[in-house]
């Protein structure tokens, strides 16, 4: 992110993001934490391509992707409301994106099977979504989000609706999945526990600016 600025011009002018610079390395798990309204989601949406920055650039693998549409960025976003298709099976949900892209049935099935393996839901392909527990649905949503193997996976508070125990379990699983796939994860949360336990580095945002950035150790155990 190079000098990202986002100003919303409505009835009032909102300076949501005010000159944010940071660099994420390939394979890193980075969390952005900060109070509600500090600009976390706006940053994520600008990286995903759902929102155009007022100023600044988003660069991925040395390519300026600021003006590219979301599908042409090698990023994908997982939302809190998982947006699974309730009338589709687990596999049909995971295969949906590749199907839209015209991937052959055989190849799609292989892709889905591989993702079910990654999220440890082998044998769940033919299940209906409403037969799954909350945690299992989270994993299907993650599989669907990662099936195209995007370089960067973006998370907007995906675990906020879960109870504490399940959130802990999913945080550990997310971290394992990230390690297994070598993907880059950028994770927005207001939950410090998630940020501390899973991240390589944490960005603390306040009023649209980076207040601190560092490893969990550097941020929370320094004098
Ligand atoms: P966070 O994710 O940290 O809660 P947001 O990025 O959602 O923060 O919001 C940052 C600021 O931008 C807030 O003041 C919010 O009200 C404002 N904002 C977010 N989206 C819009 C929008 N579409 N139009 C106008 N203001 C917005
Ligand atoms: P959680 O602890 O996440 O609430 P559930 O009690 O919903 O878990 O589910 C526990 C197990 O039962 C899961 O493996 C889930 O797949 C299975 N399950 C839940 N609801 C149904 C259903 N309607 N039909 C078949 N299996 C179900």
């Amino acid at each position: 992110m190079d000098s990202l600025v986002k100003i919303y011009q409505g009835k009032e002018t909102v300076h949501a993001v005010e000159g944010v610079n940071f660099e994420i390395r390939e394979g890193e798990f980075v969390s952005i934490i900060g109070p509600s309204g500090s600009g976390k989601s706006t940053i994520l949406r600008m990286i995903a391509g759902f929102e155009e920055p007022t100023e600044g650039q988003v660069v991925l693998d040395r390519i300026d992707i600021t003006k590219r549409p979301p599908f042409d960025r090698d990023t994908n976003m997982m939302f809190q409301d998982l947006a699974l298709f309730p009338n589709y099976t687990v596999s049909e949900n995971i295969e949906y994106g590749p199907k839209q892209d015209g991937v052959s049935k055989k190849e799609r099935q292989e892709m889905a099977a591989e993702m079910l393996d990654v999220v440890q839901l082998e044998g769940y392909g033919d299940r209906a979504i409403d037969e799954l527990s909350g945690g299992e649905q989270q994993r299907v949503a993650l599989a669907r989000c990662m099936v195209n193997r995007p370089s960067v996976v973006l998370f907007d508070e995906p675990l906020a609706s879960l109870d504490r125990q399940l959130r802990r379990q999913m945080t550990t699983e997310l971290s394992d999945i990230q390690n297994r796939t070598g993907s880059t994860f950028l994770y927005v949360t207001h939950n410090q526990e998630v940020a501390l336990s899973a991240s390589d580095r944490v960005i603390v945002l306040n009023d649209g600016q980076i207040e601190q950035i560092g490893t969990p150790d550097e941020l929370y155990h320094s004098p």
Side-chain angles (χ1 to χ4, degrees), residues 8 14 16 34-43 45 51 156 188 205:
Y8 291 107
V14 179
S36 179
S38 57
K40 305 184 296 295
S41 296
T42 301
I43 290 176
R45 290 201 302 269
E51 200 97 70
D156 196 359
V188 158
L205 208 65

Side-chain angles (χ1 to χ4, degrees), residues 124 127 130-134 136:
Y124 277 64
R127 294 249 217 146
D130 63 5
E131 288 176 12
L132 304 182
S133 72
E136 288 163 349

Side-chain angles (χ1 to χ4, degrees), residues 75-78 94 98 111 114-115 118-119 139-155 173-174 176-185:
T75 61
N76 215 342
M77 183 135 133
M78 181 166 156
I94 298 171
M111 289 164 91
E114 197 181 324
M115 285 320 299
V118 167
V119 300
R139 284 188 266 158
V140 176
L142 181 60
R144 192 179 59 176
C145 182
M146 294 183 73
V147 69
N148 282 330
R149 295 301 172 124
S151 300
V152 182
V153 188
L154 305 162
F155 298 91
E173 283 183 22
L174 261 189
D176 290 344
I177 289 167
Q178 195 250 352
N179 283 329
R180 280 204 295 279
T181 56
S183 314
T184 305
F185 279 13

Side-chain angles (χ1 to χ4, degrees), residues 93-105:
N93 267 279
I94 298 171
E95 288 174 38
Y96 183 80
K99 191 174 177 183
Q100 298 298 306
D101 295 341
V103 176
S104 75
K105 185 161 185 188

